[in-house]
């Protein structure tokens, strides 16, 4: 029974992550605007994803526990390009790519670097969610921010809490997913709150 639940959790996480950023991408493209999408949040999220993926690979964790991360990174990279384009900052794309590419290799120069980075990864990922919350609070407008994307992210965190407990039981990974679950739910509720406020005005 536990094995069936584990497989279901893996497959549902992969399926959700395969389309996780598509509602956000569609909203930005349809509006021709990245209004409400925090560039800082996106950059921090991408950094957190890269650190987490590198950590999982470095320690040889089972592929099924992190298979969604290359997909999420690709989707975030595309979203980043759209946000930069609509904000008129496309010149920064190469700089960001170089920073992320260099960081990918620096992470595994020494074991202490990847371990420290993983511990900081939770803070980085939390900062990305808090940056998005700050943007929402300041504008009091959810703009093009997709509640569906954020709620799907909350679901994947919940499934990853279960899969982590069953497979690796890595405390750093568990703390990260629990923190991200709470913050993803918070962002989703905030998006819906400001969307509702906007419609009733």
């Amino acid at each position: 029974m536990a094995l069936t639940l584990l497989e279901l959790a893996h497959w549902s996480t992969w399926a959700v992550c395969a389309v996780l950023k598509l509602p956000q991408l569609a909203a930005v493209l349809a509006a021709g605007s990245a209004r409400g999408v925090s560039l800082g949040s996106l950059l921090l999220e991408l950094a957190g994803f890269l650190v987490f993926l590198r950590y999982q690979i470095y320690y040889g964790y089972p592929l099924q526990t992190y298979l969604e991360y290359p997909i999420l990174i690709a989707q975030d990279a595309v979203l980043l390009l759209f946000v930069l384009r609509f904000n008129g900052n496309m010149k920064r794309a190469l700089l960001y790519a170089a920073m992320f590419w260099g960081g990918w290799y620096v992470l595994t120069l020494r074991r202490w670097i990847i371990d420290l980075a993983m511990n900081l990864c939770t803070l980085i990922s939390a900062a990305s969610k808090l940056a998005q919350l700050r943007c929402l609070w300041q504008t009091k407008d959810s703009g093009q921010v997709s509640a569906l994307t954020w709620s799907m992210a909350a679901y994947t965190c919940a499934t990853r809490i279960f899969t982590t407990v069953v497979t690796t039981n890595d405390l750093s990974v568990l703390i990260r997913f629990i923190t991200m679950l709470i913050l993803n739910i918070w962002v989703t509720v905030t998006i819906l709150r400001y969307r509702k406020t906007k419609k009733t005005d």
Side-chain angles (χ1 to χ4, degrees):
M1 179 69 170
L3 187 58
T4 304
L5 285 175
L6 181 63
E7 288 301 313
L8 179 63
H10 285 314
W11 281 100
S12 67
T13 299
W14 300 331
V16 169
C17 286
V19 298
L20 184 74
K21 297 292 180 167
L22 295 183
Q24 185 65 71
L25 286 164
V28 168
L29 283 175
S33 166
R35 185 176 53 94
V37 179
S38 168
L39 176 61
S41 172
L42 188 56
L43 291 169
L44 288 167
E45 180 178 67
L46 193 51
F49 285 168
L50 287 166
V51 168
F52 188 76
L53 176 62
R54 195 67 163 154
Y55 178 86
Q56 296 282 324
I57 293 169
Y58 183 83
Y59 281 105
Y61 285 155
L63 180 63
Q64 60 267 38
T65 63
Y66 63 88
L67 186 61
E68 68 272 16
Y69 279 86
I71 298 164
L72 291 172
I73 290 166
Q75 290 178 49
D76 259 1
V78 171
L79 181 58
L80 177 62
L81 289 174
F82 285 136
V83 169
L84 290 173
R85 180 178 179 272
F86 291 127
N87 290 343
N89 294 325
M90 275 305 285
K91 293 177 184 176
R92 292 186 183 178
L94 186 58
L95 173 66
Y96 293 140
M99 287 178 6
F100 286 130
W101 189 262
W104 176 261
Y105 288 100
V106 168
L107 284 171
T108 55
L109 290 177
R110 300 266 189 253
R111 182 179 175 167
W112 69 266
I113 296 173
I114 192 69
D115 289 341
L116 177 63
M118 182 56 196
N119 288 323
L120 293 175
C121 179
T122 299
L123 294 175
I124 292 167
S125 295
S128 80
K129 312 307 181 210
L130 293 172
Q132 184 60 59
L133 281 167
R134 181 174 174 248
C135 184
L136 290 166
W137 292 332
Q138 285 178 335
T139 63
K140 297 193 182 331
D141 180 9
S142 57
Q144 308 315 316
V145 185
S146 170
L148 180 57
T149 292
W150 286 92
S151 61
M152 289 190 305
Y155 170 79
T156 63
C157 287
T159 60
R160 282 305 177 208
I161 290 168
F162 171 72
T163 62
T164 301
V165 168
V166 174
T167 57
T168 65
N169 210 22
D170 185 316
L171 185 59
S172 294
V173 174
L174 276 173
I175 290 169
R176 179 183 188 280
F177 283 128
I178 291 167
T179 304
M180 295 308 98
L181 173 62
I182 293 165
L183 291 172
N184 283 330
I185 291 169
W186 193 1
V187 172
T188 303
V189 169
T190 305
I191 292 166
L192 293 173
R193 177 176 176 236
Y194 288 129
R195 185 153 296 144
K196 186 177 180 181
T197 299
K198 185 178 175 186
K199 286 181 181 176
T200 58
D201 286 350

